[in-house]
Structure formats: C-alpha cells, structure tokens
Amino acid sequence: MIYYINTYGCQMNIHESEKLAGMLEELGYTPCAEEKDADIILFNTCCIRETAEQKIYGHIGTMKKLKLNNKNLIVALCGCMTQQEGVQSAIRSRYPYVDIVLGTGNISMLPEAINKVRANRKNKVFDESYIKGSEDAMPLTRTSAPNAWVNIIYGCNNFCSYCIVPYVRGRERSRSMSDIVAEVKKLVAEGYKEITLLGQNVNSYGNDLGDGTNFSKLLNEIGKIEGKFRVRFMSSHPKDLTQDVIDAVRNNKNICNSIHLPVQSGSNDVLRRMNRRYTRERYLEQIRAIRESLPDVGITTDIMVGFPGETEQDFQDTLDLVRQAEYSSAFCFIYSRRKGTPAYSMENQIPYVEKQRRIQLLLKTQNEITKKLSSQMQGKVYEVLAEDINPKYPDTYCGRTENGRLVNFRCDFNPVGQFVNVVVEQARSATLWGRAVKED
Ligand code: 5AD
Ligand code: SF4
C-alpha cells in the first residue's frame, strides 16, 4: 500500500502533512515518488489566496483519470480549504471521485475514514470540523531533518479584514508548555538541529491557558534545554510582540537572532482598514528596538499590495517603510479577495494590472535592499547549519545563517546536519556563496 501527499501553502501545512504521513505509515502505507503509483492520494489544501485554490481544484480534476486506471485509489482532501463555506458541496457535485474530506483539526480521524472507505468503496467520509486538541498526540513522519517543526498554538483570534484563517482554523488553542518542551527535548535528543515553533501568532501563546503562561516564558524554558541546536519561531504579530520576547531571544543562545514580523502595509489608513491594530510609526519603533537589542538580527516580513482602496500614496508609504525597515527578505503578496472576509465587500477593489505594477515595484525595492545587506556580509564568517546538498550544483551544500540567510557553499566533507563555519565569498542578491572554513 502506497501513499502520495500533495501539500499546498505554508509551514503549518508542511508540518500537518508530516502528521498525515505518520498516520498513513502506521496503517502500513509507504511513500512513493509519483502520484500514479499511489493507492491513496492526499491533498493538504490551503485557501489563503485564490491562486492556490484554483491550482488545487485543477489538480483534483486530474484524479478522475487516475481513478479510471485504478478503481481502488482513495482520494482524500484536508487542510483549511475544506472548511470554507460551500467547498464541501462543490466537491460533492463537481468531483464525485473524492472519497474523504477532513478539516484542519480533525485529521486524527484519517485512519478511521480510510478504513470505512476500504470496507466499502461506496462509503464517503466528509467531516470538515475543527476539534480542540485532536491536532496533537499523533504519529509523525518528519521530512525536513535537520529541521523540525513544532506547533505551539493553533487558530487565530485576530480577524485581519482580508484574512480567511480565523474562519477556517478557528479560535486560538495553545498546547501545554510541558508538552511543547517535552517535544523539543525529544527532537534535540534525536539529533534535530533546528526547531521552528509554529503558530499564526506565536505571541498570543498561552493567552487561552489562563495560568500565566506566555510566549517569553516558553522561550526561556526551551532556552534551558541542553545541546547544540537552534530555535526559530513564526509568525509574530506586531501588535503583540513585546520586549520580554526580544529579551528572551537575546538571553538564550539557542534562540536565533531572527524575527519574522509581518507588516502587511506601510500606510496607516490601510493598516486601520486591515484591522491590524498598530501604526507604521509604532511598527518602525519596534524594528528600532529589535535592532538595538539584537545586533546582526535578520528581520523578515509579509507585505501585501492592492488592498481595497490602497491609493498610490498608500503604496508609496509601503515602499518607504520597506526602505526604512531593511528586511533581509520579504514575502510579497497581491491582495486576494476572500469570500466571507470583511475586505471582500469593501469598495474600490484595485484592478489586476495595477496590483501587478505595484508588486513588481515592491519586489524591485526589496531586491535592492537584500542586495545591499548581502554585500555587507561578503568576507565575513558565519555559522551555518548545513541542510542539504545543493540540488542545482551537487558538489556544493546549502544552509542558513543564524539570522536566516541562505548560503550555498563548498566543503571538502559532507556537512549535512552539522554546523559549519562558512566564509561568504560572493553575494549575488538573495543568495550568498561561500566555502567552509576550519574553526580556530
Ligand atoms: N490576500 C493576499 N495575501 C494574504 N495573506 C493573508 N490573507 C491574504 C489575502 N487575502 C498573506 C498575509 C499573511 C500571509 C501568511 O499571507 O501577508 O501574513
Ligand atoms: Fe490572518 Fe491576521 Fe490571523 Fe495572520 S494574524 S492568520 S493575517 S487574521
């Protein structure tokens, strides 16, 4: 019995696919390299932007042919797209060959659902709810060693006016601190070298537990764990990132000097209408405080262009903020209209061509900054966690610096999974090139 998983979307989904793989392997399934060989094909979906959704529907459509060739093939859908209004009925009517639909919080039902379908091929299991707690305590097949993902909080309470996530992933649910610390300890003992703590807004961690737990306390506990490893976390909401978190990053040597702080827009009017609950001035002040506390920090962000009513001046304000913040990199998005969100019905939706013009300008602006920061790294030595053989140039390796920059480098032994010192020799825009050097 063989499985294949298609993963769309963010790190959260990549990690959820590791849970899906873990459950399938417990049932006796093994992975394969090509969809056509599989007995079960899973789609771990994402609905944050329309482009992803269209791609997924197109891909599900191709299952019809595979099903004709293999009557026993099981097709299952999970992930946040399945919890959008109307998706279930659309799947039932347009894609009748889908056997299983699960939500984001009840993926632990997968084995039961598969058994039902296997018992009688006419059975279908459609249950897209999210249920507190059922996200945890399931087998895992980790796929990104030496890196490992750890969920700390599920869901989101923020209701940014453009965003579908709070509707499809439910309210915030924190895992217990002892569970998280135990998981990180186990991963370190197993040899994982970089642990990324995941949440839509990690800074809300603990708010729902009501026992005084918070994110900086969690970081300080994780910081006490012995061993040579790194910790990262994402994402932080600027309205909730507090100095005690920045201090925890500074005071714990295992926690990386790296902060992902999505700004979304540099215009106060747009930020207000996005319901982000901070101003550009407060955000820039936060950046200044982070840089003061954490020299050599890498700050990254998410930015959106073309939010309804975004004027040319609003957009210029975003470009100006990007220049001031000096991000080492930025995920830049075109606003995507999501049904069910307040921004969906806002007036003055921006035409596609204009959104395209803005994103090109934004990308150009950020590239110039990345280039400038890269050239400042030239000639310096950085500790890099070697993650893999470089797929494009197999005689080189790739890894990341503590502040999150990707480096390709030569090394006269295979360093994958180890920390190595690398001197940066060439800075080509986003990618840095170098060679491993011996420690003093
Ligand atoms: N359109 C475009 N980008 C979006 N994001 C969230 N919702 C939308 C949307 N409707 C982006 C935000 C967020 C990142 C994960 O995805 O920038 O930080
Ligand atoms: Fe969406 Fe805002 Fe929650 Fe992030 S914080 S998941 S952008 S609602």
Side-chain angles (χ1 to χ4, degrees):
M1 293 194 304
I2 296 169
Y3 75 88
Y4 189 95
I5 303 181
N6 293 297
T7 306
Y8 292 88
C10 57
Q11 279 85 356
M12 201 79 69
N13 270 19
I14 297 173
H15 183 44
E16 252 153 34
S17 288
E18 295 183 331
K19 297 182 183 179
L20 295 167
M23 286 185 283
L24 290 170
E25 292 187 14
E26 282 225 326
L27 283 180
Y29 285 91
T30 50
C32 64
E34 282 187 72
E35 267 184 342
K36 66 172 179 40
D37 301 322
D39 300 301
I40 180 163
I41 299 177
L42 258 81
F43 288 79
N44 194 4
T45 63
C46 170
C47 62
I48 205 156
R49 279 169 290 275
E50 197 183 355
T51 38
E53 220 178 85
Q54 282 166 346
K55 231 192 261 170
I56 295 166
Y57 276 126
H59 194 167
I60 298 172
T62 65
M63 293 296 108
K64 188 174 178 180
K65 202 168 151 210
L66 289 182
K67 266 244 151 129
L68 284 175
N69 293 338
N70 175 5
K71 289 268 177 298
N72 287 323
L73 173 67
I74 298 175
V75 177
L77 257 59
C78 43
C80 63
M81 188 176 123
T82 64
Q83 284 174 204
Q84 259 181 306
E85 220 184 295
V87 168
Q88 275 217 34
S89 52
I91 296 288
R92 278 185 193 275
S93 58
R94 285 165 50 204
Y95 307 94
Y97 39 86
V98 170
D99 303 287
I100 297 170
V101 175
L102 296 176
T104 51
N106 62 350
I107 53 172
S108 58
M109 284 175 59
L110 183 68
E112 190 187 320
I114 292 173
N115 286 336
K116 258 190 197 159
V117 174
R118 284 209 326 223
N120 181 347
R121 296 312 317 257
K122 287 205 180 91
N123 283 343
K124 282 186 182 287
V125 180
F126 278 44
D127 185 341
E128 37 49 287
S129 56
Y130 50 80
I131 304 165
K132 179 177 162 53
S134 75
E135 293 110 327
D136 295 337
M138 54 181 72
L140 263 170
T141 299
R142 297 200 178 260
T143 50
S144 28
N147 305 325
W149 315 101
V150 172
N151 290 119
I152 66 164
I153 179 167
Y154 304 100
C156 181
N157 287 1
N158 290 309
F159 291 95
C160 301
S161 64
Y162 50 81
C163 185
I164 193 76
V165 168
Y167 305 92
V168 292
R169 287 192 180 267
R171 294 297 72 72
E172 287 171 356
R173 307 173 300 279
S174 299
R175 288 179 69 197
S176 82
M177 186 136 102
S178 54
D179 279 6
I180 298 167
V181 171
E183 186 171 346
V184 175
K185 271 190 187 154
K186 185 167 168 269
L187 289 167
V188 173
E190 286 170 359
Y192 288 92
K193 297 285 185 257
E194 188 172 288
I195 313 268
T196 304
L197 308 177
L198 289 176
Q200 308 294 344
N201 176 11
V202 289
N203 304 100
S204 305
Y205 174 74
N207 287 353
D208 56 316
L209 295 176
D211 60 359
T213 312
N214 65 29
F215 186 49
S216 63
K217 285 185 187 165
L218 176 68
L219 287 180
N220 286 322
E221 277 309 303
I222 291 174
K224 287 184 200 152
I225 298 171
E226 301 269 316
K228 174 78 182 149
F229 68 102
R230 285 174 174 174
V231 177
R232 299 186 187 282
F233 53 86
M234 65 188 304
S235 291
S236 284
H237 194 306
K239 79 175 167 56
D240 298 319
L241 178 71
T242 42
Q243 186 63 38
D244 55 323
V245 170
I246 301 170
D247 291 343
V249 175
R250 192 188 50 220
N251 297 336
N252 291 288
K253 66 174 184 345
N254 285 343
I255 300 178
C256 289
N257 259 345
S258 167
I259 309 255
H260 183 64
L261 198 63
V263 67
Q264 314 299 356
S265 169
S267 148
N268 279 336
D269 184 53
V270 173
L271 287 171
R272 185 182 50 75
R273 291 185 300 108
M274 285 178 164
N275 192 29
R276 293 290 288 177
R277 288 173 277 172
Y278 53 84
T279 59
R280 71 177 265 135
E281 290 77 19
R282 203 187 124 199
Y283 183 90
L284 285 168
E285 174 53 31
Q286 230 164 10
I287 297 275
R288 199 197 54 73
I290 294 170
R291 293 205 188 278
E292 194 178 290
S293 299
L294 309 172
D296 217 22
V297 65
I299 305 179
T300 55
T301 200
D302 295 346
I303 314 175
M304 205 182 294
V305 297
F307 185 77
E310 182 187 69
T311 63
E312 179 60 24
Q313 186 56 51
D314 292 328
F315 173 61
Q316 290 299 331
D317 287 350
T318 297
L319 294 184
D320 181 68
L321 181 138
V322 166
R323 287 189 201 103
Q324 289 193 48
E326 294 211 316
Y327 299 113
S328 43
S329 68
F331 296 99
C332 301
F333 304 109
I334 287 178
Y335 165 73
S336 171
R337 204 174 173 191
R338 304 283 61 206
K339 231 185 204 141
T341 64
Y344 183 86
S345 31
M346 283 181 188
E347 282 176 13
N348 220 337
Q349 301 282 333
I350 308 295
Y352 175 78
V353 181
E354 181 56 20
K355 288 194 214 171
Q356 279 295 342
R357 183 188 74 87
R358 291 184 191 177
I359 194 126
Q360 292 310 329
L361 274 171
L362 175 62
L363 290 169
K364 187 165 162 269
T365 306
Q366 179 54 44
N367 280 344
E368 281 161 14
I369 294 159
T370 306
K371 216 175 192 167
K372 181 182 134 193
L373 296 181
S374 297
S375 66
Q376 290 168 2
M377 293 174 79
Q378 211 153 316
K380 294 190 189 151
V381 176
Y382 293 87
E383 188 183 65
V384 168
L385 172 60
E387 291 177 7
D388 215 340
I389 294 172
N390 188 340
K392 275 199 206 145
Y393 306 92
D395 55 339
T396 61
Y397 301 92
C398 51
R400 276 180 200 276
T401 61
E402 180 188 336
N403 63 11
R405 294 298 308 273
L406 190 66
V407 188
N408 293 317
F409 61 98
R410 287 171 283 118
C411 182
D412 49 20
F413 61 96
N414 182 339
V416 173
Q418 295 176 41
F419 290 98
V420 275
N421 286 332
V422 171
V423 59
V424 174
E425 296 176 318
Q426 241 188 352
R428 290 185 206 159
S429 175
T431 318
L432 303 164
W433 288 85
R435 90 189 129 76
V437 288
K438 290 228 162 44
E439 284 176 53
D440 313 319

